[in-house]
Amino acid sequence: MASAELQGKYQKLAQEYSKLRAQNQVLKKGVVDEQANSAALKEQLKMKDQSLRKLQQEMDSLTFRNLQLAKRVELLQDELAVSEPRGKKNKKSGESSSQLSQEQKSVFDEDLQKKIEENERLHIQFFEADEQHKHVEAELRSRLATLEMEAAQHQAVVDGLTRKYMETIEKLQNDKAKLEVKSQTLEKEAKECRLRTEECQLQLKNLHEDLSGRLEESLSIISEKVPFNDTKYSQYNALNVPLHNRRHQLKMRDIAGQALAFVQDLVTALLNFHTYTEQRIQIFPIDSAIDTISPLNQKFSQYLHENASYVRPLEEGMLHLFESITEDTVTVLETTVKLKTFSEHLTSYICFLRKILPYQLKSLEEECESSLCTSALRARNLELSQDMRKMTAVFEKLQTYVGLLALPSTEPDGLLRTNYSSVLTNVGAALHGFHDVMKDISKHYNQKATIEHELPTATQKLITTNDCILSSVVALTNGAGKIASFFSNNVDYFIASLSYGPKAASGFISPLSAECMLQYKKKAAAYMKALRKVQQSLEKISKLEQEKEHWMLEAQLAKIKLEKENQRIADKLKSTSIGQGVGPAQENPTGMNAGGQEEASTKAVLEPIHSTSLVPDVESREDLIKNHYMARIVELTSQLQLADSKSVHFYAECRALSKRLALAEKSKEALTEEMKVAGQNISRLQDELTTTKRSYEDQLSMMSDHLCSMNETLSKQREEIDTLKMSSKGNSKKNKSR
């Protein structure tokens, strides 16, 4: 128990450790992703900074150029102002100077126009750059907010993990203390086990010496008495009668009885379903009492009328199978010959379903073509057509697996024992599929009946027939569900009971060997009954002999008493005869006659007494001695039998003790191995705990440092963004003023 608890706790600790490692990997991945995101943001910030600096330089150069142009324009304006009065005063000065001034003015105007256009273009570029900068700034601010939120979430996760890790560490420390206490108790138990093992070893040594002698004696008896070992070969061993498991047979008979009840309910529901379907065909869509139905429905009705000849044999086959499972038989797949009969009846019923399926589908199509059929009713008929196909397919699948289960009782190589469990599992799946199909049929037929009842031409006869069909479909659904759940509940027992067979063998080789085994079982049972009768006869004979000896002793005692009584009577008669002879001699003849009669009677009495006293005393003594020794021999034989039974019982106890000792040795070795493994696991867990603790502490410190560095970089980025904003605002103000 302690080792199991240790292993359970180790498994829990290992699971928690694996979870923590997985969470650590996720956190590592998140930190790496955040690092990559921060690096990308830094690169983007650098690029934006460079572009901003480039634009700033261009802006500075443009402002400087604008200043130069403005100064030049002012100079030109001054010169123009100076030149205008001079021109007025000196109109008559040479035409060459006026033309020169006009050319210069036109050049200056063109240059000024170009500069104005360039300045306008630069203003547009600056406005676009400012808008782009604002957009980038907004994106960076939103990105910064999301990063701050993620950093806060990661910090909360890290705090939660640190708390969890600290709680886990405390829990592991407590478990370590408990394990140390348990290890100490286990060490004490191990010491006690060592002492017990030493005592058991001494007992084992003594028993080994005793059993070795008995083993040699048994081996010599086996070599002399046993002609051959019939369990060595599977062909011979399959003919051996297995141990009679009455509980197994009663369980199998009970299961077969339940299956018979379910099959009877299923047969009743199938009969009702086919019969009421036949009645419905006679009523809808054309009532046979008013008009003739179609030839298709007439043929379909004729086939449905024969349903009892196909459905009833299913119940009969299951009944024969139930009657073949008795308390005295051995119930395995190789001996259930009646399962083949049930499989054949199921095959004939499936042939019946295949025969009526096309007519059923055509009948539904004929209903759909009727003028009374609505679109909803047509949809329900199509669904019922699909359900009927599924029902036939499910029955075919079920018959395939039942036929496979019936093969071991008829064909030796029809089905391997390794496939028994898969076939039984597939039977359960087929039964559940049958239940699902019947649920669909019940659902769709209920909807169909509801729609038909709402039709204006629906008669009471049609409503009653539909209700009867619905009740039979519901009974079929319930029966299918019961038999499916029943089989699922007992499939494990079916699989486990397949190993029931001859001793030290995988099972029966063929149905012929199983049949021979059953014959041998009957002969063995008859032989055991005969032995029981012989034993009872011997017991009766011994009782009669004892009663005979008792009555012989009683007769001898009665004989001795009779001799003593005869002797006493003879002595008494002698004394009376002497007393009569001494009397007076003057007696009349009548007195003499009376004396003579008395003497005759005395002689007549003495004669039988004398004859009975002739039995010799020597023979009586010999009989007494013989009877005494016979009784003594019977007593000694009974004591000898009792001693033999005690010796056999003692031998069995010694064998059981030796087995228990061997099991104790094995358990001791297993416990020592478990102790070693537990110690190794404890040390390994301690090392892993320390390493994980250190790694978690290092990771936490690294994560905290990384978060600090991320905060610093984010603060720097904020400052740079603020400075960029201030500089951009100043530049925009300058440009506006310019």
Side-chain angles (χ1 to χ4, degrees):
M1 290 293 290
S3 61
E5 290 178 0
L6 287 173
Q7 288 181 356
K9 289 196 174 180
Y10 294 152
Q11 291 177 358
K12 289 181 182 177
L13 291 174
Q15 290 175 359
E16 290 180 359
Y17 178 67
S18 62
K19 289 180 182 177
L20 293 175
R21 287 187 66 183
Q23 292 175 358
N24 190 14
Q25 293 293 329
V26 173
L27 286 174
K28 282 183 179 179
K29 188 176 179 181
V31 170
V32 170
D33 294 337
E34 291 298 328
Q35 288 177 353
N37 291 330
S38 63
L41 287 173
K42 284 181 180 178
E43 291 294 330
Q44 290 179 5
L45 191 60
K46 286 181 181 178
M47 296 290 290
K48 297 294 181 183
D49 194 8
Q50 289 177 0
S51 62
L52 189 62
R53 287 177 183 175
K54 189 175 180 180
L55 290 171
Q56 188 69 31
Q57 289 176 0
E58 290 179 358
M59 193 68 189
D60 292 338
S61 63
L62 288 172
T63 52
F64 181 72
R65 185 67 176 165
N66 286 332
L67 289 172
Q68 287 181 350
L69 291 172
K71 287 179 181 180
R72 192 171 179 181
V73 168
E74 288 177 359
L75 289 172
L76 289 173
Q77 287 178 355
D78 293 338
E79 289 177 359
L80 182 62
V82 172
S83 63
E84 282 180 356
R86 286 181 182 178
K88 290 178 180 179
K89 291 177 181 181
N90 299 320
K91 284 182 180 179
K92 295 179 179 180
S93 61
E95 292 179 357
S96 61
S97 62
S98 64
Q99 291 176 355
L100 181 63
S101 63
Q102 286 291 330
E103 290 177 357
Q104 288 179 351
K105 186 177 180 181
S106 63
V107 170
F108 286 152
D109 288 337
E110 289 177 0
D111 194 6
L112 181 61
Q113 186 67 30
K114 288 181 181 179
K115 296 299 181 183
I116 290 169
E117 290 176 358
E118 187 178 0
N119 194 7
E120 185 177 0
R121 182 175 57 79
L122 290 173
H123 273 292
I124 291 168
Q125 289 180 356
F126 179 75
F127 180 74
E128 291 177 354
D130 190 15
E131 291 294 327
Q132 187 176 5
H133 174 71
K134 288 180 180 179
H135 182 66
V136 171
E137 182 182 0
E139 287 182 354
L140 290 173
R141 282 184 179 279
S142 62
R143 192 77 176 273
L144 181 63
T146 55
L147 287 173
E148 286 179 351
M149 190 181 296
E150 289 178 357
Q153 291 176 357
H154 286 303
Q155 186 64 36
V157 170
V158 169
D159 294 336
L161 287 175
T162 49
R163 288 195 299 272
K164 190 174 180 180
Y165 295 153
M166 294 303 292
E167 291 175 357
T168 306
I169 290 166
E170 291 178 358
K171 186 178 179 181
L172 290 173
Q173 288 177 353
N174 294 328
D175 292 338
K176 179 185 174 184
K178 292 179 181 178
L179 290 173
E180 287 178 353
V181 173
K182 284 190 176 180
S183 63
Q184 292 176 358
T185 55
L186 288 173
E187 286 177 357
K188 291 180 181 178
E189 290 179 357
K191 289 180 181 179
E192 293 177 356
C193 289
R194 289 192 194 96
L195 296 174
R196 291 177 184 174
T197 49
E198 290 177 356
E199 294 177 357
C200 292
Q201 282 176 358
L202 293 174
Q203 293 179 1
L204 179 63
K205 188 176 180 181
N206 297 328
L207 289 172
H208 182 70
E209 292 176 355
D210 187 14
L211 293 174
S212 60
R214 295 189 180 186
L215 179 62
E216 291 176 357
E217 184 180 357
S218 300
L219 288 174
S220 63
I221 292 170
I222 289 169
S223 61
E224 292 175 0
K225 302 294 183 182
V226 178
F228 69 97
N229 185 11
D230 56 355
T231 60
K232 186 176 181 181
Y233 303 100
S234 59
Q235 292 84 358
Y236 298 145
N237 191 29
L239 300 174
N240 286 330
V241 179
L243 296 175
H244 182 65
N245 192 345
R246 184 172 178 270
R247 186 178 297 174
H248 168 75
Q249 288 301 122
L250 293 176
K251 176 73 173 177
M252 291 301 294
R253 185 168 176 81
D254 182 38
I255 291 172
Q258 294 179 23
L260 176 61
F262 292 138
V263 170
Q264 287 174 347
D265 295 340
L266 205 64
V267 165
T268 304
L270 285 171
L271 288 171
N272 292 332
F273 177 68
H274 293 311
T275 304
Y276 292 134
T277 305
E278 180 189 357
Q279 292 179 6
R280 175 185 164 80
I281 291 169
Q282 300 290 334
I283 298 170
F284 189 81
I286 299 172
D287 194 350
S288 61
I290 300 171
D291 196 359
T292 58
I293 61 176
S294 64
L296 175 72
N297 283 334
Q298 288 178 3
K299 197 70 174 175
F300 187 30
S301 177
Q302 180 183 353
Y303 286 150
L304 285 174
H305 193 68
E306 302 171 356
N307 70 87
S309 61
Y310 296 98
V311 179
R312 289 290 184 191
L314 293 175
E315 182 180 356
E316 295 175 0
M318 197 65 198
L319 181 61
H320 292 322
L321 179 61
F322 169 71
E323 290 174 351
S324 66
I325 300 172
T326 60
E327 186 181 345
D328 299 330
T329 58
V330 178
T331 304
V332 288
L333 287 179
E334 289 83 359
T335 58
T336 53
V337 183
K338 297 297 181 180
L339 187 60
K340 180 66 176 176
T341 307
F342 179 75
S343 175
E344 292 173 353
H345 293 326
L346 185 60
T347 304
S348 65
Y349 177 66
I350 288 168
C351 293
F352 170 71
L353 289 178
R354 290 173 184 164
K355 184 170 67 174
I356 67 172
L357 180 62
Y359 294 96
Q360 197 163 16
L361 298 179
K362 290 291 183 181
S363 178
L364 290 171
E365 290 178 3
E366 188 175 330
E367 285 186 16
C368 293
E369 293 173 358
S370 176
S371 60
L372 301 174
C373 186
T374 61
S375 59
L377 189 58
R378 191 176 293 109
R380 299 291 84 77
N381 287 334
L382 292 175
E383 289 174 350
L384 278 175
S385 300
Q386 296 294 327
D387 294 337
M388 291 303 169
R389 289 192 183 95
K390 290 180 183 178
M391 179 180 172
T392 306
V394 165
F395 267 106
E396 289 176 351
K397 185 178 179 182
L398 184 62
Q399 189 274 334
T400 301
Y401 293 121
V402 172
L404 288 174
L405 290 176
L407 285 176
S409 62
T410 56
E411 298 179 9
D413 301 327
L415 182 64
L416 298 176
R417 288 185 65 84
T418 54
N419 298 327
Y420 286 2
S421 59
S422 61
V423 173
L424 287 169
T425 306
N426 288 326
V427 169
L431 289 172
H432 282 288
F434 176 51
H435 182 222
D436 295 335
V437 170
M438 290 312 303
K439 285 195 290 186
D440 293 338
I441 291 175
S442 177
K443 175 184 174 183
H444 296 151
Y445 209 95
N446 191 8
Q447 295 172 356
K448 174 182 168 66
T450 304
I451 295 170
E452 288 180 351
H453 293 174
E454 294 174 356
L455 293 174
T457 58
T459 61
Q460 186 63 35
K461 193 187 295 184
L462 177 63
I463 293 171
T464 306
T465 306
N466 283 338
D467 291 339
C468 293
I469 293 174
L470 275 175
S471 63
S472 63
V473 170
V474 170
L476 266 175
T477 306
N478 294 332
K482 288 179 182 179
I483 198 168
S485 60
F486 160 75
F487 195 87
S488 298
N489 293 331
N490 293 293
V491 68
D492 294 333
Y493 180 75
F494 292 151
I495 294 171
S497 64
L498 295 175
S499 61
Y500 179 57
K503 188 178 179 182
S506 60
F508 300 105
I509 303 300
S510 64
L512 183 60
S513 65
E515 186 177 358
C516 293
M517 182 277 301
L518 290 176
Q519 292 178 1
Y520 294 153
K521 181 177 175 61
K522 291 178 182 178
K523 290 181 180 179
Y527 178 69
M528 293 300 293
K529 288 181 180 178
L531 286 179
R532 195 176 294 112
K533 287 182 180 179
V534 170
Q535 184 68 26
Q536 291 175 358
S537 300
L538 291 173
E539 289 177 356
K540 286 182 180 179
I541 289 169
S542 62
K543 287 181 180 179
L544 289 172
E545 287 180 351
Q546 290 176 1
E547 290 179 358
K548 176 185 174 183
E549 292 173 358
H550 172 70
W551 289 113
M552 284 179 70
L553 289 173
E554 290 289 336
Q556 289 175 1
L557 292 173
K559 194 182 288 184
I560 293 168
K561 288 180 179 179
L562 182 60
E563 289 176 356
K564 290 181 179 179
E565 188 67 24
N566 289 333
Q567 187 67 31
R568 187 179 64 79
I569 292 169
D571 294 338
K572 187 176 181 181
L573 288 172
K574 284 180 182 181
S575 62
T576 54
S577 63
I578 292 169
Q580 287 177 0
V582 176
Q586 292 90 9
E587 288 182 355
N588 54 9
T590 58
M592 290 295 293
N593 291 330
Q597 289 176 357
E598 287 179 1
E599 287 179 1
S601 63
T602 305
K603 287 180 181 181
V605 172
L606 287 173
E607 281 179 0
I609 294 171
H610 182 68
S611 63
T612 55
S613 64
L614 291 175
V615 178
D617 296 335
V618 178
E619 291 180 0
S620 63
R621 283 197 300 271
E622 288 179 356
D623 291 334
L624 286 171
I625 294 167
K626 183 179 178 181
N627 293 328
H628 173 72
Y629 281 112
M630 288 296 291
R632 186 62 178 166
I633 288 168
V634 171
E635 184 180 358
L636 289 173
T637 52
S638 62
Q639 290 179 0
L640 183 60
Q641 290 176 357
L642 182 62
D644 289 337
S645 63
K646 286 183 178 180
S647 63
V648 171
H649 180 67
F650 180 70
Y651 176 69
E653 285 184 354
C654 291
R655 287 186 64 185
L657 286 172
S658 64
K659 289 180 181 178
R660 288 175 64 185
L661 189 59
L663 291 173
E665 287 291 331
K666 290 181 181 179
S667 62
K668 175 191 171 185
E669 293 175 358
L671 285 172
T672 52
E673 290 294 330
E674 288 177 358
M675 285 287 293
K676 289 179 182 178
V677 172
Q680 293 174 0
N681 289 330
I682 289 169
S683 61
R684 181 173 58 79
L685 285 172
Q686 288 176 352
D687 296 336
E688 289 180 358
L689 183 61
T690 53
T691 53
T692 51
K693 186 178 178 182
R694 290 174 184 173
S695 63
Y696 288 148
E697 289 176 353
D698 295 337
Q699 289 174 4
L700 288 172
S701 62
M702 289 173 65
M703 289 174 69
S704 60
D705 295 337
H706 181 66
L707 288 171
C708 292
S709 63
M710 286 178 67
N711 291 324
E712 291 176 358
T713 53
L714 288 172
S715 61
K716 289 179 181 179
Q717 289 175 3
R718 285 178 185 173
E719 292 175 357
E720 290 176 357
I721 289 167
D722 293 335
T723 54
L724 287 172
K725 285 175 67 179
M726 295 296 292
S727 62
S728 64
K729 286 181 180 178
N731 291 327
S732 62
K733 287 179 181 179
K734 288 179 182 179
N735 291 325
K736 285 179 181 178
S737 63
R738 288 172 186 172

